[in-house]
Amino acid sequence: MKVDTKRMKLDLLLGALGALLMTVGDLALSIITPSNSDSGLYVREAYMNGSYPLWRPVLLFATGMIGMFFYSFGIKAMADQIKPECRKLRAVVKYGGLAYICTGTALHFFIGTLSYWMTIFSAEFDRETAVRLVNDYYGRFMPAASISYPFIMMLLIGSFAAVVSNRTIMPKKMVLFNVLIWQLIFILIPDIHQLISPNITIMDYVMSQSSGNVSAVIMFAAQFVWLSRNEKTLNQ
């Protein structure tokens, strides 16, 4: 299978840039002073005590929109890596990725608005009322925002299955850098830490909230390096 390595390497670099921009938004939410009374995505002391700067959700929105645009090039590279004869698997990754690009920005922004409304309502009302209002907002919109999750799973499982089943231009060992593997690692580390220690840390928030996008940066970067090392062979 002859590959346009220059084009694919550019797509991977742009995809890594997009995932990195998405990570900036994740960090805008997660780099806060933790409290053991924190719960879930938005019942967090830092959002309720007035210390959370409201420019951060705006940054999340801006980097999310730009990031998703560049991320789409990485998804194109993921689909192009699958061998042409595997049309169904290519379609799963391609259209799962396309749907994710269309819905992911909205999901990213929705999660960001939770911190915004919790901060605003906590300043205007008592904490119990603020939590009740944001709970209502979350309960109404989260079912609609969840539309993106099946497409995310299509993309993740499709790309993982392609590498494991040796249906891509890359060797099976590249599964070690697959986004699904690293995402599970980043999610599990905070859970293991909280089993050992009851104290929540900033790193717990950072790793759990940015797990998907940091994992994508790792995967795109690793694939770029592999392509660079095997460029001559692939172009023959």
Side-chain angles (χ1 to χ4, degrees):
M1 175 181 171
K2 191 173 181 179
V3 180
D4 185 351
T5 52
K6 289 185 178 179
R7 176 73 244 186
M8 188 173 290
K9 284 167 63 179
L10 177 60
D11 287 341
L12 289 170
L13 281 178
L14 293 175
L17 173 62
L20 195 60
L21 287 169
M22 297 289 287
T23 301
V24 170
D26 295 330
L27 295 177
L29 290 179
S30 57
I31 299 182
I32 56 175
T33 302
S35 170
N36 288 337
S37 62
D38 291 352
S39 175
L41 289 170
Y42 53 87
V43 183
R44 298 178 176 179
E45 181 65 24
Y47 300 160
M48 295 187 285
N49 63 14
S51 65
Y52 185 70
L54 290 179
W55 57 262
R56 287 196 184 187
V58 179
L59 177 66
L60 175 143
F61 186 38
T63 55
M65 288 191 295
I66 301 170
M68 270 301 189
F69 169 74
F70 288 116
Y71 201 122
S72 66
F73 290 93
I75 292 175
K76 177 181 179 296
M78 291 167 67
D80 289 343
Q81 290 163 17
I82 300 173
K83 296 174 182 177
E85 60 268 24
C86 305
R87 290 181 294 176
K88 291 183 179 178
L89 192 53
R90 265 196 170 193
V92 167
V93 173
K94 178 181 178 180
Y95 294 113
L98 178 62
Y100 171 53
I101 292 300
C102 294
T103 60
T105 305
L107 176 64
H108 193 66
F109 178 59
F110 170 69
I111 298 300
T113 60
L114 297 171
S115 64
Y116 176 85
W117 289 120
M118 183 59 77
T119 301
I120 291 292
F121 290 149
S122 294
E124 295 294 329
F125 310 106
D126 60 87
R127 293 192 177 194
E128 183 178 336
T129 301
V131 172
R132 178 174 57 80
L133 290 171
V134 180
N135 279 342
D136 180 77
Y137 171 72
Y138 180 83
R140 290 176 186 274
F141 285 91
M142 189 59 197
S146 298
I147 290 172
S148 64
Y149 286 120
F151 302 123
I152 294 172
M153 294 309 298
M154 282 177 62
L155 179 63
L156 295 180
I157 294 173
S159 66
F160 180 81
V163 178
V164 170
S165 60
N166 201 30
R167 297 181 185 179
T168 74
I169 62 172
M170 298 185 179
K172 285 186 179 181
K173 65 182 181 181
M174 290 300 290
V175 75
L176 296 175
F177 301 100
N178 187 266
V179 63
L180 187 59
I181 298 295
W182 282 94
Q183 188 164 5
L184 289 173
I185 291 172
F186 287 133
I187 289 173
L188 285 173
I189 288 176
D191 289 341
I192 294 171
H193 174 258
Q194 288 175 34
L195 287 174
I196 299 172
S197 171
N199 297 319
I200 302 172
T201 66
I202 294 176
M203 191 54 63
D204 291 332
Y205 282 157
V206 168
M207 295 190 76
S208 61
Q209 201 125 26
S210 63
S211 59
N213 292 314
V214 172
S215 299
V217 173
I218 291 172
M219 182 183 71
F220 291 143
Q223 291 177 348
F224 177 87
V225 171
W226 186 88
L227 278 174
S228 299
R229 291 178 177 178
N230 296 273
E231 192 166 4
K232 291 183 180 179
T233 303
L234 292 168
N235 285 332
Q236 290 178 353

